[in-house]
Amino acid sequence: MRGEDRQTALNPKQFRRPGSDKIIDISTLDESDPDIYETVFYKEVPVVNGNMDETLIVTYSPKYKAYQKRIRGQQISRAVIMIEQPGRKRRSQNQNDPARFIKSTAITETGEVAGKNIYDLLVYRLLEKKIGNKYTCNEILHTLRSMQVTLLSKESGYIPSYKRTALTDDLHKAFGFLPKRKQLQPSLLLGL
């Protein structure tokens, strides 16, 4: 379909009710009215297809719109579950697959599109949940970025060089890492 024909078909004006010649703008309909809700409106759009003149019948049903909205809402809810439970198996990939609502765009810290995908929003949400939903993603990110350790020597190991807070303590407890300002061997720091 040509662009101008598509525009005409999608325009909410020039619809009719079956059996009536009155022109209706469907964007102004009161769809809470049961009579309107149950009606299927239509319009005829003349289309030139090569040497042939055709007429395209475009229909609009408030009831079908509500049905599609409900189905889409259920699919979005399933997509949210897929994000929150990433290890969960998916049944199949088809046109109704809720994964179509999940898109990721990798960006750098300055907001430019990056070439590498990292699912930080999901990772930080899981972190947020693991430490009891007491902190926002921004607080967790800021704290993690500030958690530095200092190498004393290869033999002595590392020592934490960041300020201890309730959030750092909660991160330590959640991941079984309690430095308490003592020297850490490199294998312990890496969780080996």
Side-chain angles (χ1 to χ4, degrees):
M1 180 182 291
R2 296 180 323 175
E4 63 188 52
D5 293 335
R6 183 178 297 115
Q7 255 185 321
T8 304
L10 295 176
N11 187 335
K13 297 180 177 167
Q14 299 175 340
F15 278 84
R16 293 184 181 146
R17 199 175 196 153
S20 171
D21 288 334
K22 182 181 174 187
I23 302 296
I24 299 171
D25 180 347
I26 59 171
S27 66
T28 63
L29 294 174
D30 177 11
E31 295 180 5
S32 65
D33 178 346
D35 185 43
I36 298 290
Y37 185 76
E38 295 290 333
T39 302
V40 176
F41 299 88
Y42 76 98
K43 72 175 167 180
E44 298 175 4
V45 178
V47 177
V48 177
N49 188 2
N51 292 333
M52 295 179 59
D53 290 336
E54 297 178 353
T55 301
L56 177 68
I57 306 292
V58 180
T59 61
Y60 173 75
S61 165
K63 185 176 185 177
Y64 190 68
K65 173 187 164 187
Y67 167 75
Q68 288 295 323
K69 185 176 182 179
R70 188 173 59 251
I71 296 296
R72 191 170 39 256
Q74 292 169 347
Q75 291 172 340
I76 289 171
S77 295
R78 287 196 307 270
V80 168
I81 290 169
M82 289 172 75
I83 291 171
E84 291 173 347
Q85 300 173 358
R88 191 171 175 195
K89 280 192 171 184
R90 290 182 20 209
R91 285 189 218 152
S92 66
Q93 286 186 330
N94 62 34
Q95 66 187 21
N96 296 322
D97 188 358
R100 75 182 188 280
F101 295 111
I102 303 171
K103 303 285 185 234
S104 91
T105 302
I107 59 170
T108 64
E109 288 184 21
T110 60
E112 297 175 22
V113 176
K116 187 173 162 184
N117 283 339
I118 299 175
Y119 292 90
D120 291 339
L121 267 72
L122 177 61
V123 171
Y124 295 121
R125 289 280 181 218
L126 292 173
L127 256 177
E128 189 178 322
K129 191 173 184 177
K130 182 147 179 121
I131 57 177
N133 292 317
K134 294 193 286 187
Y135 310 97
T136 66
C137 283
N138 285 337
E139 291 172 318
I140 295 169
L141 265 173
H142 178 71
T143 300
L144 287 172
R145 287 181 179 147
S146 69
M147 290 178 75
Q148 303 289 322
V149 292
T150 303
L151 175 63
L152 296 176
S153 70
K154 286 185 181 179
E155 297 79 31
S156 300
Y158 295 84
I159 188 167
S161 56
Y162 51 88
K163 183 179 177 183
R164 185 176 172 188
T165 64
L167 176 50
T168 60
D169 287 348
D170 286 343
L171 286 167
H172 294 167
K173 287 175 196 166
F175 296 99
F177 175 70
L178 303 170
K180 301 218 176 44
R181 300 289 180 212
K182 65 181 179 183
Q183 294 177 3
L184 304 169
Q185 294 303 316
S187 62
L188 178 61
L189 185 64
L190 297 173
L192 302 173

